[in-house]
Each structure stands twice: as structure tokens, then as C-alpha cells.
Amino acid sequence: MATTTASNPSLAQKLRGLSGEAVKFGLVGLSGVVVNFAVFWVCINGLHLASLRSNIAATLVAIATNYLGYRYWLYRDRDAASRKREITLFLVFSGAGMLIETGVLGFSVYVLGLSSHFEQLAAKVGGLALGTVFRFISYRTWVFKAVPEPTEEQLAAARAEAAADAPATGVVAQAELMLAAEQIRFAKAE
């Protein structure tokens, strides 16, 4: 089986792609952090809710805004064949991240006795950092799965099928090859 550079990227290419993804993940996450901290601050100071309730409310609002950023900007090219599955997994992993964040906050308030609003914000930052690492790994691995690239054998079969089906030439033949490859890609994703 022959492999090409396009179908088998080097480690440097993979790391460049991952770093670009991490930057975009960070930008969407940063907007979520702003929403999260704004809602947390309003809940704890304006509504006078307990810190854990404020954290849960703030995180839920941020989860909703982050989903929109991840689905429609960062992972827009990823497999979206099953939105129900995607949203379910997103909520499960976001909930686990929220438990990590809330656990750190609860530990700092109820075990360490850090009760000022600024101490609670510092604990929230620490919990948010741990939860973010967890979310990044779980979202890219299980929630927004990449559509698998067709193998060389599948591409060769698609080329042969396109050549046998229509004796087209030039641009039409290339378009048929591209359509056949896409059909294989989507069939494999299902």
C-alpha cells in the first residue's frame, strides 16, 4: 500500500494543526470564560447566591455559548451526521468539566476555608483550568469526531468505478472522482 504525504501527515504537520486547533479552542473558551465569570460575579454579588450555585449557573450559561462556538466555528468541518449524539456527549463531558470546576471551588471554600469573593474567584480559575484541559481532550476525541479520510484502496476503487460508469474526460472526470471519494467518506462516517 502506497502512502502519500497528503494522507499521512508528518508529526510536525500534526502538531501545527493541533496548535491551530488549540488556539481556536482557546478563543472560544475565552469567550466562555468571560460569560462564565460575568454570570458568576452577578450571581454571587447581585443575586447573593451561594458560591457553588453561582458557579453551576454560570457554567451552564457558558456551556451553551461554547457549544455554538465549537460547532459552528472550530469544529464546523467535523462529522455532524448525528447531532443528537454530539449534543448528548457535549453535555455529558461539559457536565464532567463543570463537576471538576465546582469540586475545586467547593474544596477551597469548605475544606480550605477560603471564603472571600476574590479567593473564590481564584479557586474558580484553578478549577476552570483543570476542567478546560479535560474538555479539550474529550471534545476533540469523542464529541466532534473528524471524518475519516478515505484509504488509497477506496480512492482507487472510486476512480475505477468513475472510469467504468462514464467515459467522461477532463473536468467532468475529475468532478466524478471527487464525488465518488466524498461518497466513500460520508459512507464511512455513518
Side-chain angles (χ1 to χ4, degrees):
M1 178 171 101
T3 58
T4 63
T5 306
S7 66
N8 191 9
S10 70
L11 178 61
Q13 290 170 323
K14 288 179 183 178
L15 289 176
R16 263 192 303 267
L18 184 62
S19 67
E21 181 182 343
V23 168
K24 287 181 178 180
F25 185 89
L27 289 173
V28 172
L30 183 61
S31 70
V33 167
V34 170
V35 168
N36 193 326
F37 278 90
V39 172
F40 180 76
W41 195 254
V42 167
C43 287
I44 206 166
N45 289 310
L47 302 176
H48 304 290
L49 295 176
S51 60
L52 296 183
R53 285 185 179 161
S54 297
N55 186 66
I56 291 170
T59 303
L60 290 174
V61 172
I63 285 170
T65 60
N66 283 355
Y67 177 77
L68 297 173
Y70 293 135
R71 165 45 47 217
Y72 297 106
W73 183 55
L74 176 57
Y75 295 119
R76 70 180 173 268
D77 61 337
R78 298 288 177 100
D79 182 19
S82 175
R83 284 289 161 96
K84 184 177 178 182
R85 177 200 148 279
E86 176 184 285
I87 291 172
T88 301
L89 288 175
F90 183 84
L91 291 174
V92 166
F93 289 119
S94 294
M98 181 176 64
L99 289 175
I100 292 168
E101 183 182 333
T102 304
V104 171
L105 179 62
F107 180 80
S108 69
V109 170
Y110 297 110
V111 175
L112 300 178
L114 305 174
S115 58
S116 79
H117 289 173
F118 289 108
E119 291 171 330
Q120 291 175 20
L121 278 175
K124 184 168 176 53
V125 168
L128 187 61
L130 289 175
T132 298
V133 170
F134 171 78
R135 287 179 185 114
F136 177 72
I137 292 168
S138 61
Y139 292 168
R140 77 178 314 271
T141 304
W142 294 293
V143 179
F144 301 105
K145 293 170 42 172
V147 176
E149 293 293 323
T151 65
E152 290 294 323
E153 291 83 17
Q154 291 171 327
L155 288 174
R159 286 184 195 109
E161 181 181 327
D165 284 348
T169 58
V171 175
V172 175
Q174 290 176 350
E176 288 176 345
L177 286 174
M178 289 172 50
L179 285 172
E182 287 299 314
Q183 288 173 344
I184 290 170
R185 178 184 262 174
F186 285 111
K188 191 152 182 116
E190 293 173 350

